[in-house]
Amino acid sequence: MSSPAAPASPSRLPDLIALAQVDSSDNRRALLRELTDHFFGAPTHTPNEQLLFDSVLTDLSTEMETAVRAELAARFASAPNAPQTLIRRLANDEAAVADAVLRASPLLSDSDLIDVVRNRSQEHIMAVATRPVVPEAVSDAIVEKGDDQVLDSLLRNEGARLSRAASETAVERAKANPALHEAAVQRRSLPPDLLNEMYFVVEARLRQQILERNAAMDPDLLESALAAGRARVARDDGALPADYAESLAYVEELKAAGQLSPQMLARFLRSGGRTSFLIALAQLSDVDFHTAKQIVDRRELDALAVICKAADLDRAIFLTYAVVLLSAETDAMGRAHSYARMYAELPRDAAMRTLRFWRMRRGAHAA
């Protein structure tokens, strides 16, 4: 005959809850840990038990010092069945306590997270920005309320979904802060038209990454990106120079006579006909005047290389432009030759795709 089964051990939960309600308890820290162990010691809890745990753990934790609350938060952060009220309270605690819960708890709703972002510290917002998944609505709030350090983390988190509006705001902020350049350019889900807006403000290494992404872009994605970009291109990029009308008439006259050539553009540069050069360059590459002016005014020789390569100009012509534009700088010839080497290595397809984003401005000004 088999021995009778041993009686199940009675649950200590009623005793623990009764002890927690005694104001004079000298061992509340140990009690809190025992209650936590008891919670995790059972695979499931009845709805009533869950409510009791939630109420008692929340009340007990309120009286504990920061280190104890942080320990409690770390234990419950990833638990899918953690007490809801406790999780929300810990998420709104000081940053040292809230961090683990905000980074990992699956129980926090979008509304819970947005409330934290709008009402708590930058440390709290940073924790939310690093969650494995950040929904669009939460990202919108982070972009609005977070500082640039938080934005950097959000942009680097590919699990964060950014709306079009949030992406546009993020790029405008990134353009103004070099510390955000890398995070913006390397974000794989950044809309391509916004990626190309970063071209004129980032360093050469990141410009090369933009060109490589453009070269690898699917044609359908390219078309949809261009369509999205056209919707937001600025209508006013600044006043035209005083000699614009006169220079335009001269360029049009040369064009009608069949005398507007790449060599003529070099002659404009050498003779000081800067506005004529810019007008002719804009027409040659089919970009707007202000984009061409920005490239030349800032001596963006790698950007000039994109234009010239897309127009299939000879390397010697590009080198001529580079030498003249850099003539006032130290070692102008050496620098020009380094750009000429870059020009030779630049794939024409990448240049043409990049130029299509810049041409959006021309289309917007013609609208």
Side-chain angles (χ1 to χ4, degrees):
M1 177 185 293
S2 60
S3 302
S9 298
S11 171
R12 285 206 64 212
L13 180 58
D15 294 336
L16 291 172
I17 290 174
L19 184 58
Q21 293 170 344
V22 177
D23 291 338
S24 61
S25 173
D26 295 327
N27 300 300
R28 288 184 172 275
R29 181 170 182 166
L31 176 60
L32 181 63
R33 286 177 173 158
E34 188 170 355
L35 268 170
T36 302
D37 290 341
H38 195 84
F39 179 88
F40 285 106
T44 60
H45 301 288
T46 66
N48 190 49
E49 287 177 333
Q50 190 79 9
L51 288 172
L52 285 170
F53 273 117
D54 202 351
S55 175
V56 175
L57 286 170
T58 300
D59 289 344
L60 271 179
S61 65
T62 302
E63 303 172 13
M64 297 292 106
E65 60 266 32
T66 299
V68 177
R69 300 198 310 276
E71 178 186 331
L72 188 69
R75 288 203 67 181
F76 280 101
S78 301
N81 63 335
Q84 288 267 5
T85 304
L86 176 66
I87 287 295
R88 290 195 184 96
R89 199 204 68 75
L90 292 172
N92 284 279
D93 205 322
E94 60 184 282
V97 176
D99 187 81
V101 170
L102 291 175
R103 289 179 187 272
S105 177
L107 300 179
L108 293 171
S109 67
D110 289 6
S111 178
D112 293 331
L113 295 169
I114 291 170
D115 185 62
V116 168
V117 169
R118 293 195 181 282
N119 297 291
R120 304 298 295 173
S121 71
Q122 291 298 319
E123 289 83 359
H124 288 78
I125 304 175
M126 176 66 83
V128 177
T130 60
R131 289 173 66 86
V133 175
V134 184
E136 277 192 8
V138 179
S139 292
D140 284 349
I142 292 173
V143 172
E144 178 187 351
K145 294 292 186 178
D147 60 21
D148 282 356
Q149 188 174 359
V150 168
L151 182 58
D152 182 86
S153 291
L154 185 71
L155 289 171
R156 293 180 188 277
N157 181 2
E158 291 293 346
R161 296 191 294 274
L162 271 67
S163 66
R164 174 75 194 193
S167 296
E168 290 176 2
T169 301
V171 164
E172 289 304 314
R173 288 175 59 181
K175 285 159 67 175
N177 183 359
L180 292 171
H181 287 180
E182 183 172 71
V185 170
Q186 294 185 351
R187 182 171 177 80
R188 303 307 301 179
S189 58
L190 188 70
D193 63 299
L194 299 181
L195 172 69
N196 277 273
E197 287 202 14
M198 296 295 300
Y199 184 92
F200 289 105
V201 298
V202 300
E203 62 180 333
R205 173 180 62 90
L206 296 176
R207 288 184 172 191
Q208 183 60 34
Q209 291 182 25
I210 294 172
L211 291 173
E212 290 170 359
R213 297 252 307 263
N214 288 342
M217 196 182 307
D218 179 85
D220 291 338
L221 178 59
L222 174 63
E223 291 304 321
S224 63
L226 289 167
R230 291 187 193 103
R232 75 178 298 267
V233 171
R235 300 288 176 171
D236 183 10
D237 285 329
L240 295 171
D243 63 342
Y244 182 85
E246 179 184 352
S247 299
L248 177 60
Y250 180 50
V251 169
E252 293 294 345
E253 181 181 331
L254 291 173
K255 187 175 180 180
Q259 297 176 2
L260 189 62
S261 64
Q263 291 76 14
M264 180 62 74
L265 269 67
R267 193 177 304 172
F268 288 152
L269 274 182
R270 291 195 188 97
S271 64
R274 193 178 188 83
T275 302
S276 296
F277 173 77
L278 293 173
I279 291 170
L281 181 66
Q283 291 190 6
L284 178 72
S285 55
D286 196 31
V287 298
D288 73 289
F289 177 84
H290 295 289
T291 298
K293 184 175 186 297
Q294 176 179 317
I295 290 170
V296 173
D297 285 355
R298 298 182 181 178
R299 294 186 179 86
E300 302 275 7
L301 273 296
D302 50 351
L304 182 62
V306 169
I307 284 181
C308 294
K309 177 67 76 155
D312 204 20
L313 298 189
D314 186 80
R315 177 176 174 272
I317 288 291
F318 169 73
L319 179 59
T320 299
Y321 297 165
V323 168
V324 177
L325 289 172
L326 296 171
S327 59
E329 300 187 11
T330 304
D331 191 27
M333 186 62 71
R335 289 194 62 201
H337 276 286
S338 70
Y339 281 114
R341 285 192 295 273
M342 184 211 76
Y343 183 83
E345 297 169 358
L346 175 64
R348 184 162 184 252
D349 184 59
M352 293 176 70
R353 288 175 181 236
T354 301
L355 195 61
R356 291 190 68 183
F357 287 102
W358 300 351
R359 283 173 176 160
M360 289 189 300
R361 294 188 175 276
R362 181 182 179 94
H365 281 284

